[in-house]
Amino acid sequence: MKFSVNWLREFVELPSGVDELAELLTLAGIEIEGIEKRGANFDNVVVAQINSSVQHPNADRLSVCQVDDGSGQPRQIVCGAKNYKVGDKVPLALPGAVLVNDLKIKPSKLRGVESQGMLCSPSELGLSEDGDGLLILSPEAQIGQPIGSLFPEDTVLDVEITPNRGDLLSHFGLAREIAALTGAATPSSRTVTRNDADQPARGRAGSIKISAPNECPFYSARRIENIKVGPSPDWLRAKLEAVGLRSINNIVDISNFVMLELGQPTHAFDADKLKGEIVVRRAREGEKFLALDGKTYTLTSRDLVIADQERVVGIGGVMGGEETGVTASTRNVLLEAAYFLPSSIRRTSRTLNLPSDASYRFERRVDPAMILPASQRATELIGELAAGNPAAEIATAGALPEPPPDVSLRYERCDELIGVPVPKERVVQILEGFGLKKARVTDDETSWRIPSFRSDLQREADLIEEVVRVFGIENVPVRYRSRFTPESEADRGHDLESELRARLAGRGLAEVRTSKLISRKAAEFEEGAIELRNPLNEDHVALRRSFYPSLLDVWVRNVLGGTHRVAIFEVGRVFIPPEGREERYLGILLWGNSGPSAHWRSKNRILDYFDLKGVIESVIPSASFRRVERPGLILAVEIWRGAERIGFAGQVASERTKPIDSTHPVLFAELNLASFAHLEGGLIFRGIEKFPAITRDIAMIVPENLSHEKIFTTIASANEPLLAKVELFDVFSGSEGNFGVGKKSLAYTLTYRDKTRTLTNDEIAVVHAKIRERLQRELGVELRE
Amino acid sequence: MSHELEQLRDAALSEIGGAGDEQTLEAARVRYLGRAGSISAWADRMKSLSKEEKPVVGKLLNEARTSVTAAIAEAADRLRAAKEARELADIDISLPGTAAELGSLHPLTQMLDRAISIFRRMGFALAEGPDVETEWHCFDALNTAPDHPARNEQDTFYLPDGRLLRTHTSTVQIRTMEKAPPPIRVIAPGAAYRRDEVDATHSAQFHQIEGLYVDEKVSIGDLKGTLEFFLHELFGAETQVRFRPHYFPFTEPSFEIDVKSKALKGGEKWLEMCGCGMVHPAVFEQVNSARGDTAYDPKKWSGFAFGLGMDRLAMILFGIPDLRYFAANDLRFLRQFA
């Protein structure tokens, strides 16, 4: 909400500078979002009246005006604006005036005609952006009066009020808060209404009926007759415009003014258009209503309405109706001031998508004690500014909400929670400053009566917060306190993830983090993925159940960005349908060059299945792989760890990689990390071999379909105690060698070792021969020399 | 006049000393010390020498062998060193070094790791909770009124079954207290979701670290000490830290924290960093009712909680101008954090 500093000053003594005020409020939790200087305090700019206007003899677009500046001498001004009529009062800059942008005014000749000054637009006076025409002042403005008295210098604060502090949504309310923070004299609502004697008698309840007392516990209406609807006086317009409201007419402006001043919204109906008594009720299902904004709303039985005997005339606390609004021809008004249930207003305003200044305040709860004073204030102003003649009585129905219950404060608890002792007298002084009154007092504890405007103060902690706000959190000393904390399951999970990430980054992969919300398009490939009930757009419609669509998407965007290598992984949660069980997965995608795109020493390969497998083995050395069929993959394997299937890997079918049309394979793997307590490769010392090893190679020609795994297990099944290691070091397929199509050549290095002695060539020759013989016998391989 | 062997030795030493390459040196070795070499030949001649000559010539022969052998070894070292120097003299040391593809960790991961490591030094353990939450854990338990605007379908993503995507990691406060009695000292890094259109400073999914400390007589002084220490560790000891009263339904009193530091992007003004406050007694009461006991008696226990926006912290700390970089995963961006 925007606040005028001048307006605040009417109620409370302010700190000397605006910056001090802003600092005071900010540190008390009332955030200042903007500070704007306003006003038109210029020397030599006065109110003038245009007495005549004729066409400039030499310029189509200019006029020559004779104006009265109060000096007794008529003054001739050449003017380019068209929005005035003779008799209007406008600002006149006399020679010697210096306006916005350092515009210096002096007598001059415009196309041969003398001009002794300049008539001003709002923008030339820095009052608004509006530079289209002259600023037309109200008829009451005094000719010759300095313009600064109509538009005094002011500062406007844009203040963020938190939702619990509806009591600050008015100049009076913020002034009251400032007084509590600085210790200045507290303003009283009596300073705005004239005196108690003028308060009307309450009565004529028969003219209002409340049939929804929960949503509207209290309603008042005052009839004011013989009003003259017209423009507002300059002071009123200036006040509204300073805080960002547009002037409409005197009646609407008064209602807005009182709301900004006291925080209580009021509404003026054209009394002659109301049919019979006012009924406050719930809307009928499907009931239609034409609001002041010109739109028709369809209501439900959850919406509270103000109705007459024939139709809805207002959505309670939100907006009045077009048909019963005040117009230029309105003669009599009915002025509403009421209390509406915050939650009801909030619901209606939200469902109709119809926020208003009034609903904003009712949602945050208005001060019940301010309803009738606000009505009185508006009535008085209508009497003054629109010649209205108020009824002696104000019609009321229902009862004002109960005052907030008392709240107890234990002084010891206050000190404990703040962390530093605050003297009892200081606590009392602070709370009394906020308008609280002692209800019951013991040595350790005081029960406090809460003022009607502070229903947010419901508990001891709320009172302690008020103490801290004034005492100043900067006066609370910091304390360092620790406690030994055992490792949690989440700690272990985090550390596992960290180690996994470090290993994969060490293998040259880049970590990505994609959104857990996937697009409509991606969701089409993710059968069963849980969809949101209320997605905001097509990019975020479902919860990912796999990294597959997200990593493919990252791949596409990076290839389009010109990269030649994509080696990425992601670790994080996926959501398993149907109930959305959250599991930690690892996704890997490889594509393109094995190394940097161009380097004088690198021989670049294209990444393939074995690169992917190598990455997986670097994380899970014991992983085994089984070939399977899987939709979307042209080469698919399952990844097993012991007896548990933990994921899959493979080469993505080209139908899924169409956006890029790459000839290089796209490799993808996904693993469920749920069963991982820690990575393999324990932290246990295994000893360093002391005695030298002997190595022997075996090369063999085998059919293409004989797998490495089969050969490896055949060698291993010899259970030869001296055999320490078997390594495949060469693979040749038949088309590359000279041993015929349909065959391949494999070559292995076998390492022999004994922990306790140096082996001799002779004993190894025996063992090695046995293994060769075994391969020949069991697999029929053709051994090469 | 000197013995013939001495002359032979001197000739050998001079030839070896003058050898300019390994072939010449090898040829000299063969000529003098080879099986049929001229010095070796004296060993055969020894048999035919007289008793008187034998020891004299024997000594000379030994000396000659030793000095020539040493000279050959010395010359070999000299020649090898010269050869190596020649070979390396022509290397273009400006050629690029052998390249390796470095992997990288996402900047948000690095941000989280930094923050977590600071809190761990302060004695916080990690905690976690689900992204898909019940309305009770996300709102009711956190003292958020049934008609609070945050619950609205316009601000919060709902699932068809009525559950929702948590709008803050504060849900983990409740999850943690449901499971374990006080004292509690945890942080919970995690994702949260808001129904926001994506732009430079908003995203549907964002990342937070939630903190919760419940113990006897926990005070605002503890809250201040903890978060001031954290922010100084993260941004540097010269960083100014300011606490401002604020409003959150689940803490009372509540604060926002601002920092100011010339070393930070945009840090010449106060930057909002963190929401925090003392755990609202109503939150303890909700937890008690869910637990079915009075473990979190608000009269006995107090605590503080805080929520730090990791995306925003990373943007400030790494000078990243637009939130959308995080989810785009452009490798040209990610590699900057390798």
Side-chain angles (χ1 to χ4, degrees):
Chain A
M1 179 183 165
K2 287 185 170 168
F3 290 88
S4 150
V5 170
N6 288 349
W7 199 342
L8 290 171
R9 200 175 276 123
E10 292 175 18
F11 298 116
V12 68
E13 188 186 332
L14 295 177
S16 53
V18 169
D19 289 344
E20 283 90 340
L21 175 61
E23 177 90 353
L24 172 81
L25 293 173
T26 299
L27 292 181
I30 302 166
E31 212 172 328
I32 308 296
E33 294 187 317
I35 299 178
E36 186 198 342
K37 298 266 182 215
R38 285 185 63 95
N41 195 8
F42 296 102
D43 288 340
N44 298 316
V45 182
V46 298
V47 177
Q49 186 166 36
I50 299 172
N51 287 337
S52 72
S53 173
V54 296
Q55 176 68 45
H56 189 291
N58 307 321
D60 289 350
R61 291 166 181 237
L62 298 179
S63 314
V64 181
C65 302
Q66 301 298 324
V67 306
D68 176 2
D69 62 5
S71 64
Q73 296 288 322
R75 191 176 276 272
Q76 176 173 300
I77 308 286
V78 177
C79 170
K82 298 281 179 224
N83 67 324
Y84 61 89
K85 56 186 189 297
V86 170
D88 276 352
K89 288 176 181 169
V90 296
L92 165 67
L94 297 168
V98 182
L99 304 184
V100 168
N101 295 329
D102 217 22
L103 177 65
K104 293 189 176 72
I105 305 301
K106 49 188 187 249
S108 62
K109 275 190 173 175
L110 290 166
R111 294 275 184 110
V113 176
E114 200 177 329
S115 182
Q116 299 165 310
M118 188 179 86
L119 304 180
C120 305
S121 70
S123 72
E124 282 156 344
L125 296 175
L127 290 170
S128 76
E129 300 293 304
D130 182 8
D132 270 357
L134 300 182
L135 172 61
I136 310 295
L137 304 170
S138 84
E140 287 98 74
Q142 299 292 314
I143 293 167
Q145 184 185 11
I147 199 76
S149 64
L150 289 180
F151 301 99
E153 268 188 294
D154 196 1
T155 304
V156 174
L157 303 176
D158 195 356
V159 183
E160 189 202 323
I161 305 292
T162 54
N164 59 326
R165 293 301 304 271
D167 63 304
L168 300 183
L169 291 172
S170 69
H171 284 78
F172 179 78
L174 189 62
R176 184 169 54 198
E177 181 81 357
I178 292 167
L181 296 172
T182 61
T186 306
S188 149
S189 64
R190 288 193 193 151
T191 54
V192 292
T193 54
R194 281 188 182 145
N195 56 58
D196 287 344
D198 281 356
Q199 293 290 339
R202 285 163 64 170
R204 294 207 340 199
S207 64
I208 302 167
K209 190 173 155 227
I210 298 177
S211 66
N214 186 39
E215 287 81 2
C216 177
F218 179 80
Y219 192 93
S220 78
R222 190 155 187 201
R223 192 176 163 86
I224 306 169
E225 296 181 339
N226 290 319
I227 60 157
K228 289 195 177 63
V229 178
S232 292
D234 290 325
W235 68 264
L236 179 53
R237 282 169 56 185
K239 268 193 159 146
L240 294 178
E241 281 165 8
V243 295
L245 262 67
R246 221 158 38 84
S247 171
I248 312 277
N249 60 45
N250 50 4
I251 303 299
V252 175
D253 288 359
I254 287 167
S255 178
N256 282 331
F257 172 82
V258 171
M259 176 181 74
L260 295 173
E261 185 178 60
L262 301 178
Q264 169 68 37
T266 58
H267 180 71
F269 294 102
D270 185 328
D272 299 326
K273 291 177 186 157
L274 294 174
K275 310 278 193 315
E277 72 169 359
I278 290 281
V279 183
V280 184
R281 60 167 168 85
R282 287 166 173 235
R284 287 184 271 277
E285 206 60 41
E287 198 164 10
K288 296 265 197 286
F289 171 63
L290 176 63
L292 267 174
D293 63 0
K295 292 183 192 153
T296 300
Y297 294 90
T298 305
L299 308 174
T300 73
S301 61
R302 288 156 69 100
D303 300 319
L304 182 77
V305 296
I306 314 301
D308 63 11
Q309 294 305 304
E310 293 184 355
R311 66 207 188 293
V312 175
V313 297
I315 306 173
V318 179
M319 194 169 278
E322 177 74 31
E323 292 172 18
T324 52
V326 171
T327 65
S329 59
T330 299
R331 303 288 303 149
N332 305 309
V333 294
L334 193 68
L335 183 73
E336 166 200 293
Y339 183 92
F340 298 108
L341 187 69
S343 57
S344 162
I345 299 293
R346 190 175 300 146
R347 188 174 53 225
T348 294
S349 163
R350 281 263 170 176
T351 41
L352 298 179
N353 194 19
L354 179 60
S356 67
D357 286 333
S359 70
Y360 190 73
R361 286 169 176 78
F362 283 122
E363 270 177 32
R364 286 160 176 74
R365 194 179 185 277
V366 297
D367 176 8
M370 193 56 94
I371 297 172
L372 291 175
S375 176
Q376 177 63 12
R377 171 74 164 148
T379 304
E380 284 171 8
L381 285 170
I382 291 173
E384 269 173 47
L385 306 179
N389 181 19
E393 285 188 324
I394 182 165
T396 64
L400 289 169
E402 290 290 307
D406 294 352
V407 180
S408 283
L409 178 71
R410 292 164 291 160
Y411 294 98
E412 191 191 343
R413 178 65 173 178
C414 182
D415 291 349
E416 261 177 31
L417 199 74
I418 295 176
V420 65
V422 181
K424 205 163 157 183
E425 309 75 58
R426 182 89 177 101
V427 173
V428 169
Q429 181 198 16
I430 289 169
L431 293 180
E432 286 180 344
F434 283 110
L436 281 68
K437 302 223 167 8
K438 286 179 188 166
R440 278 186 322 280
V441 181
T442 68
D443 278 353
D444 314 322
E445 188 171 339
T446 300
S447 177
W448 290 90
R449 184 140 302 146
I450 306 299
S452 61
F453 52 90
R454 286 307 301 273
S455 60
D456 61 305
L457 301 178
Q458 297 167 352
R459 286 173 174 266
E460 188 171 54
D462 300 325
L463 300 190
I464 295 173
E465 176 168 63
E466 297 308 294
V467 173
V468 174
R469 288 174 62 225
V470 179
F471 179 73
I473 186 169
E474 65 278 7
N475 296 322
V476 178
V478 300
R479 188 156 66 155
Y480 294 142
R481 179 153 73 148
S482 193
R483 183 184 269 283
F484 300 160
T485 317
E487 186 183 59
S488 68
E489 199 183 316
D491 276 306
R492 284 188 288 274
H494 172 80
D495 292 344
L496 170 76
E497 272 190 31
S498 293
E499 202 185 335
L500 198 59
R501 287 188 172 106
R503 278 202 197 182
L504 292 166
R507 292 278 311 210
L509 275 68
E511 187 199 13
V512 301
R513 278 176 171 263
T514 61
S515 175
K516 289 182 223 182
L517 295 170
I518 58 174
S519 68
R520 173 89 56 205
K521 204 161 135 269
E524 279 166 18
F525 290 100
E526 294 288 290
E527 205 177 313
I530 297 169
E531 295 202 8
L532 299 175
R533 190 169 78 197
N534 57 336
L536 182 58
N537 54 41
E538 294 296 289
D539 292 336
H540 302 118
V541 301
L543 288 165
R544 70 180 178 201
R545 58 172 299 183
S546 152
F547 287 123
Y548 188 62
S550 322
L551 293 191
L552 269 183
D553 190 42
V554 172
W555 169 69
V556 168
R557 273 183 285 135
N558 275 292
V559 175
L560 292 177
T563 188
H564 298 286
R565 176 180 186 269
V566 177
I568 54 175
F569 73 95
E570 179 165 4
V571 181
R573 288 180 188 183
V574 300
F575 302 83
I576 308 297
E579 75 277 21
R581 193 176 67 252
E582 294 176 30
E583 293 194 350
R584 183 187 286 131
Y585 270 36
L586 162 65
I588 301 168
L589 186 144
L590 301 180
W591 170 87
N593 290 341
S594 61
S597 51
H599 194 275
W600 64 285
R601 298 194 92 176
S602 324
K603 289 196 186 62
N604 239 324
R605 289 188 298 104
I606 298 305
L607 292 164
D608 62 20
Y609 163 76
F610 296 102
D611 293 294
L612 179 63
K613 189 176 176 188
V615 170
I616 295 164
E617 285 169 334
S618 72
V619 180
I620 309 165
S622 71
S624 62
F625 298 80
R626 294 184 197 168
R627 193 152 184 163
V628 292
E629 297 291 321
R630 196 182 166 98
L633 296 181
I634 31 176
L635 167 65
V637 298
E638 285 175 350
I639 307 166
W640 289 70
R641 183 171 176 249
E644 188 189 6
R645 190 179 59 204
I646 55 169
F648 70 94
Q651 183 171 327
V652 179
S654 52
E655 83 228 19
R656 291 301 307 277
T657 61
K658 271 205 184 108
I660 296 300
D661 193 26
S662 166
T663 51
H664 305 334
V666 177
L667 304 145
F668 178 79
E670 184 163 271
L671 290 89
N672 185 344
L673 302 177
S675 67
F676 279 51
H678 50 78
L679 291 185
E680 292 168 29
L683 304 172
I684 292 173
F685 178 69
R686 280 189 297 272
I688 310 289
E689 304 301 341
K690 284 193 197 111
F691 295 93
I694 293 179
T695 62
R696 291 286 182 273
D697 293 348
I698 300 180
M700 62 193 93
I701 293 168
V702 303
E704 282 279 11
N705 62 3
L706 182 63
S707 72
H708 155 75
E709 188 180 20
K710 188 86 189 149
I711 294 164
F712 186 88
T713 49
T714 303
I715 296 171
S717 67
N719 277 329
E720 191 48 67
L722 297 179
L723 180 61
K725 199 157 56 173
V726 181
E727 291 160 299
L728 175 66
F729 71 88
D730 202 17
V731 181
F732 255 109
S733 82
S735 50
E736 296 166 78
N738 57 0
F739 37 82
V741 175
K743 297 197 166 179
K744 62 183 175 186
S745 160
L746 300 175
Y748 292 85
T749 294
L750 278 59
T751 304
Y752 297 96
R753 191 196 299 276
D754 190 297
K755 280 194 170 70
T756 58
R757 64 196 173 89
T758 303
L759 296 172
T760 66
N761 284 331
D762 290 348
E763 61 184 320
I764 289 313
V766 176
V767 174
H768 194 63
K770 277 199 328 212
I771 289 175
R772 288 170 63 92
E773 192 263 334
R774 188 181 190 90
L775 285 167
Q776 271 177 317
R777 190 182 65 232
E778 294 198 356
L779 301 177
V781 307
E782 179 189 337
L783 296 173
R784 308 174 82 191
E785 292 312 317
Chain B
M1 110 165 229
S2 64
H3 192 274
E4 198 180 335
L5 252 173
E6 287 172 304
Q7 290 168 16
L8 206 49
R9 179 198 68 196
D10 291 345
L13 290 179
S14 133
E15 204 173 315
I16 288 162
D21 56 56
E22 282 169 336
Q23 288 90 331
T24 316
L25 182 64
E26 176 62 8
R29 189 192 64 79
V30 170
R31 191 152 58 248
Y32 294 101
L33 295 181
R35 206 164 276 188
S38 46
I39 292 178
S40 310
W42 276 90
D44 298 334
R45 281 203 232 160
M46 288 287 285
K47 293 172 208 149
S48 55
L49 293 182
S50 67
K51 246 186 213 155
E52 292 75 25
E53 279 179 312
K54 259 188 191 167
V56 179
V57 173
K59 192 171 172 233
L60 284 173
L61 177 58
N62 248 340
E63 276 174 14
R65 267 190 179 144
T66 310
S67 57
V68 171
T69 303
I72 287 173
E74 193 187 316
D77 286 351
R78 172 173 54 80
L79 288 175
R80 180 188 290 176
K83 187 180 167 201
E84 282 170 357
R86 233 177 10 255
E87 281 171 358
L88 292 177
D90 293 337
I91 279 194
D92 177 0
I93 60 156
S94 71
L95 287 174
T98 306
E101 275 296 330
L102 289 179
S104 56
L105 296 180
H106 194 283
L108 271 175
T109 301
Q110 299 191 41
M111 181 67 239
L112 281 161
D113 285 348
R114 268 173 90 162
I116 290 169
S117 74
I118 296 170
F119 282 119
R120 280 183 160 180
R121 288 206 300 281
M122 296 159 75
F124 282 85
L126 293 189
E128 59 190 351
D131 290 19
V132 176
E133 263 297 2
T134 64
E135 199 168 342
W136 186 83
H137 281 94
C138 197
F139 295 124
D140 301 77
L142 288 159
N143 194 35
T144 308
D147 61 347
H148 192 279
R151 297 195 188 215
N152 205 281
E153 295 234 353
Q154 279 158 21
D155 296 321
T156 301
F157 287 119
Y158 283 88
L159 267 50
D161 62 9
R163 287 182 300 166
L164 49 78
L165 298 184
R166 64 182 178 196
T167 57
H168 44 202
T169 44
S170 306
T171 52
V172 187
Q173 292 182 32
I174 307 301
R175 293 274 171 192
T176 305
M177 290 191 281
E178 277 180 311
K179 269 187 283 184
I184 294 281
R185 193 177 174 84
V186 293
I187 52 164
Y193 306 81
R194 269 173 214 172
R195 208 164 163 275
D196 274 336
E197 285 288 0
V198 175
D199 65 23
T201 54
H202 295 85
S203 62
Q205 180 193 328
F206 53 99
H207 304 85
Q208 294 187 313
I209 286 187
E210 188 76 15
L212 174 69
Y213 184 22
V214 181
D215 209 328
E216 284 178 74
K217 297 187 181 170
V218 175
S219 71
I220 292 172
D222 294 310
L223 166 70
K224 237 181 119 177
T226 300
L227 289 169
E228 256 186 39
F229 180 83
F230 171 78
L231 291 167
H232 282 149
E233 286 288 295
L234 189 67
F235 292 126
E238 71 289 349
T239 307
Q240 289 173 264
V241 179
R242 167 174 99 171
F243 286 71
R244 250 186 310 110
H246 199 69
Y247 170 74
F248 303 108
F250 37 94
T251 48
E252 185 79 21
S254 305
F255 304 95
E256 276 189 336
I257 306 177
D258 303 330
V259 302
K260 200 176 187 178
S261 164
K262 289 206 173 66
L264 301 176
K265 191 179 161 62
E268 62 284 346
K269 288 190 299 192
W270 288 107
L271 295 169
E272 194 182 310
M273 282 294 145
C274 174
C276 60
M278 306 305 292
V279 178
H280 200 292
V283 173
F284 286 149
E285 285 159 11
Q286 289 285 342
V287 166
N288 281 339
S289 73
R291 291 173 58 93
D293 62 15
T294 54
Y296 287 88
D297 179 359
K299 287 206 168 60
K300 180 171 180 208
W301 302 95
S302 59
F304 65 75
F306 56 87
L308 285 154
M310 287 292 113
D311 309 80
R312 185 171 156 74
L313 278 188
M315 285 171 82
I316 291 167
L317 205 58
F318 303 142
I320 298 168
D322 191 319
L323 190 58
R324 285 168 289 198
Y325 281 111
F326 291 132
N329 292 298
D330 188 319
L331 288 163
R332 292 168 294 187
F333 168 76
L334 297 176
R335 294 215 159 280
Q336 296 173 15
F337 301 91

